[in-house]
Amino acid sequence: MSEKPVKKTSLKVTGMHCAACAASVESTLKKLKGVDSASVSIASEDAQISYDPETLSIGEIESAIRKNGYGVSLGKKTIKIGGMHCVACVSTVKNALEDIEGVFSADVNLIDNSAVISYSGDGVDPKKLRAAVQSAGYEYLGSEEDFSAEKEAEEFAREQKIRLARVLTGLGAAAVLMAIMYAGLPASVPVHLIMFVIATPAVAFLGYPIFRAAYLSLRNLSLNMDVMYALGIGTAYIASIMGTFGIFLTTDYMFYETAVMLSAFLTLGRYLEANAKGRTNDAVKKLLNLRPTRALVKKDGEYVEVPAEELSEGAEILVKPGGRVPVDGMVLSGEAYVDESMITGEPVPVLKVQGDEITGGTLLTGGSLVFSATRVGRDTALSQIISLVEETQRTKPPVQRIADVAVSWFIPVILAIAIIAASIWYFLLGSTTLFALTVFISIIVVACPCALGLATPTAVTVGIGRGAELGILIRNGEALEISERLKTVVFDKTGTLTRGKPEVTGTASFGIDEKEMIALTAAAESFSEHPVAKAILDYAKENGIEIPEGEDFSSKTGGGVGIVVDGRKVSAGNRDFISNSGAVIGEDAEKVLSGYESAGKTTVTVASDGKIIGVLAISDMLKDSAIKAISEIKDMGLSVAMITGDNAITALSVARDAGIDDVHANVLPGEKAEKVKGIREKSGMTAFVGDGINDAPALAEADVGIAVGSGTDVALESADIVLMKSDLRDAAAAIQLSRKVMGRIKLNLFWAFAYNTALIPVAAGVLYPLYGIVFRPEYAGAAMILSSVTVISLSLMLKGYTPPAVVERFS
């Protein structure tokens, strides 16, 4: 009787504070079915566990620890893998890596040929990773840190060069074989032996990677497409040899050109597929290329060139005209126009002067700057954006589960269909062995789960990358699918719909020149720190109005201010303050005041020597992009609502200008999340658009949280979508992009399913009784290539997509 398998692992447990905590965790682990032994140490904060992997998974162990109130700390490592071609390859590599002791999970990505490994304990021995990948039949290329972008490009070019050589060899050999077949050579010429001599080295050269991968897959007790292809090519080639040498079969069974063409078409398919897949991740490659490799740093009074990776916080760095900023920092001196389009999507260069923040990867289009480094290495905004985009590209929207289920059953089902179809033709319908064999090979070759497996990840990769180019960072794949099903978009008012600062939006003067009135008002407000005072001072400066000096400044909290200017006593404040100062608000002034107040604006009444001389209206202005954004969202068939802490009059005024009908006023900051929850329960799937910091609870409560104008702060855990600029059109564009990506995923899945649904019956011979159509294996191979390339090409079309909401900005 064989002993049950035992696997040992070490988990780092967090949240334990005393021996009782350790005992609690240990007790929980020992109660799990399949755990052989468990020992938890409070000193080292780890758990040593022996368990039966056939009964219990490492994920179930982690879940049990978390349910007990503690956490599990996992490390992460990214490695690069060569030789993966289809989703079955991904599954094989994933299983091989997860069999390594200490590995918690392995997330394998077919698009960028990588695997992110989550592990417990102190780490995973690279030798074990290499051994696991190689034993599964694939190539271990090293860790992400060791495998640079340049090295990856070189490796890709090398692989493609070999594939192309194989394709050209195969097509050349197939052309010669076809010529011999139809040349009508004399009977004395040993045609079949000549074909054998030509085909054998061609099949060996082309088929080696396919047969090797198939062997390793079978050795690991798994089925992938290499097994199917090897079966098809091998069957055609062996049947030809048997016919050539009269072993059970006659010379009618000549499939040499089929074996060679199949090998050539399959290799061509992988060549085209690899080229297309490489282009799906162009957005990340562009971002990576923004990183300068060298920087000018001040040392001992001189600027010297050093590698960018050696920069540290506080370093003083010089960037010359036309140069790229190596890291994030604060401008110390100089001024320059900086192209930030690659980071924010904003096409117009921005002027940077002393005290401004500057982002690594941006380009100086004119002028030079000296700045102090504030964030370097993995902490820079560019590095965070790249990490976020790469992480998101690895996520799977829920719709991917359809393809995953189909792929998991695909190969066994196709193999069964091929055997059943060939058997029916031969045993029940009395066809020749040649015909039944053709049906068997054609079904095996034409079936393609690759298109199903590539349908979602290629579209997600291209779509997420396109979003990054537009300054729209989508943090997870689920947000894509939810955005498609949204019913309502809720906006925060202050700082989101509006500019977030008070501005002068109306003026009226009585018996005095308007500029003089503004000058006197600004003089009165010049000693105040109130936001309204700053708005008036900014307005005066923007309009070139000289502000006179005053004396005897006085103020009343919540009322207004007073000052003496050139012997004139000037007062500015609310209507009660002015009335109490002795000034009488006349009919004209009252009419203006009432008009401003009914529009929800804050008013400042100004009096000089007891007479009303002017009224100013102050309000938080709508952003220029707000009306267009709201219109775009409504055009998508979505409802729009607004939440604000302001009074109803002000809220309704802003909402009316923006085109919003559903208004929720007097909502305290702590009540926003609850209000979003109520809107969602009433209206359905809801997105909340806020500033990402003050609105964090509401962003988290919404089905999709959209953080606006986050600049370089991309690490916002509460937001599902982060917008790099404060342009509200990007909120509409994010939804439009999500809908486009989901539409493309569904189109890809449709074509992938339709292709297999239509061509597998044709390969099985259903059209032969009616039309005499036989789907030859080489044609099946060509059709198989077309399916994968079509799906990838459809995804690549997203690279040129610009959401309607922002077309004007990029036209």
Side-chain angles (χ1 to χ4, degrees), residues 618-692:
I618 314 292
S619 62
D620 186 4
M621 291 285 289
L622 271 177
K623 288 178 181 175
D624 295 336
S625 58
I627 296 173
K628 172 69 174 173
I630 302 301
S631 175
E632 285 284 348
I633 291 170
K634 284 185 172 181
D635 287 345
M636 286 186 266
L638 301 176
S639 301
V640 182
M642 184 184 81
I643 292 177
T644 179
D646 286 348
N647 61 69
I649 294 176
T650 301
L652 288 169
S653 175
V654 171
R656 183 172 57 251
D657 292 342
I660 299 173
D661 301 320
D662 187 9
V663 181
H664 303 265
N666 299 306
V667 179
L668 297 175
E671 298 173 348
K672 285 183 182 179
E674 192 63 31
K675 183 63 70 173
V676 169
K677 182 179 179 181
I679 293 172
R680 187 178 71 236
E681 290 173 350
K682 179 182 177 182
S683 305
M685 289 278 190
T686 299
F688 179 80
V689 185
D691 65 15

Side-chain angles (χ1 to χ4, degrees), residues 205-508:
F205 180 52
L206 271 77
Y208 171 73
I210 297 170
F211 282 96
R212 180 180 178 276
Y215 164 72
L216 292 169
S217 178
L218 291 172
R219 193 183 72 180
N220 287 288
L221 302 178
S222 66
L223 288 174
N224 63 12
M225 285 311 295
D226 284 303
V227 173
M228 304 288 278
Y229 299 152
L231 186 58
I233 295 167
T235 302
Y237 180 69
I238 291 170
S240 301
I241 291 176
M242 292 173 71
T244 299
F245 296 102
I247 305 171
F248 302 119
L249 300 177
T250 67
T251 53
D252 291 333
Y253 293 84
M254 288 296 105
F255 291 103
Y256 285 121
E257 84 290 349
T258 298
V260 173
M261 288 179 72
L262 271 179
S263 302
F265 281 145
L266 294 173
T267 307
L268 175 62
R270 287 180 176 174
Y271 175 82
L272 296 174
E273 196 175 289
N275 269 344
K277 276 199 306 182
R279 290 173 58 205
T280 62
N281 218 15
D282 279 351
V284 171
K285 292 174 185 174
K286 286 179 183 177
L287 290 171
L288 287 169
N289 290 334
L290 296 179
R291 293 172 168 169
T293 56
R294 313 286 293 179
L296 290 171
V297 181
K298 192 171 186 178
K299 291 186 177 180
D300 301 324
E302 295 183 358
Y303 288 100
V304 295
E305 194 174 87
V306 301
E309 62 264 22
E310 294 180 7
L311 294 174
S312 59
E313 289 184 20
E316 191 173 313
I317 303 165
L318 169 66
V319 185
K320 295 179 179 180
R324 286 202 181 278
V325 180
V327 294
D328 298 351
M330 181 77 71
V331 177
L332 298 176
S333 63
E335 61 178 45
Y337 280 94
V338 180
D339 180 1
E340 298 181 327
S341 60
M342 61 291 295
I343 303 294
T344 66
E346 178 56 59
V348 181
V350 179
L351 179 64
K352 297 289 183 178
V353 297
Q354 183 179 355
D356 287 343
E357 290 185 351
I358 193 165
T359 307
T362 53
L363 178 70
L364 268 65
T365 59
S368 61
L369 293 173
V370 174
F371 73 96
S372 174
T374 55
R375 292 190 293 188
V376 299
R378 293 183 178 275
D379 295 328
T380 65
L382 180 59
S383 293
Q384 289 183 47
I385 290 170
I386 292 170
S387 296
L388 176 61
V389 172
E390 288 180 330
E391 184 179 334
T392 306
Q393 287 176 336
R394 305 182 74 88
T395 63
K396 295 180 180 180
V399 71
Q400 173 69 9
R401 294 171 192 154
I402 300 171
D404 288 344
V405 170
V407 166
S408 65
W409 288 96
F410 193 89
I411 294 176
V413 168
I414 293 304
L415 198 54
I417 290 173
I419 293 170
I420 292 169
S423 299
I424 289 173
W425 276 109
Y426 184 74
F427 293 110
L428 297 183
L429 302 178
S431 73
T432 63
T433 306
L434 180 62
F435 185 87
L437 194 60
T438 300
V439 166
F440 178 79
I441 296 172
S442 295
I443 292 174
I444 285 175
V445 173
V446 79
C448 184
C450 299
L452 283 171
L454 292 168
T456 299
T458 53
V460 168
T461 298
V462 178
I464 298 294
R466 180 56 178 154
E469 291 175 347
L470 297 170
I472 300 167
L473 302 182
I474 301 172
R475 293 179 57 89
N476 59 70
E478 191 173 358
L480 289 170
E481 191 159 337
I482 293 175
S483 294
E484 189 195 32
R485 305 201 306 271
L486 287 176
K487 299 298 182 185
T488 303
V489 179
V490 181
F491 284 88
D492 177 53
K493 183 185 83 72
T494 306
T496 300
L497 280 172
T498 63
R499 296 173 184 172
K501 64 175 185 176
E503 298 177 45
V504 175
T505 56
T507 61

Side-chain angles (χ1 to χ4, degrees), residues 67 108-109 127 146 183 227 497 558 572 649 736 763:
K67 284 181 180 178
V108 184
N109 190 332
K127 293 179 181 177
D146 301 330
V227 173
L497 280 172
I649 294 176
Q736 290 169 342

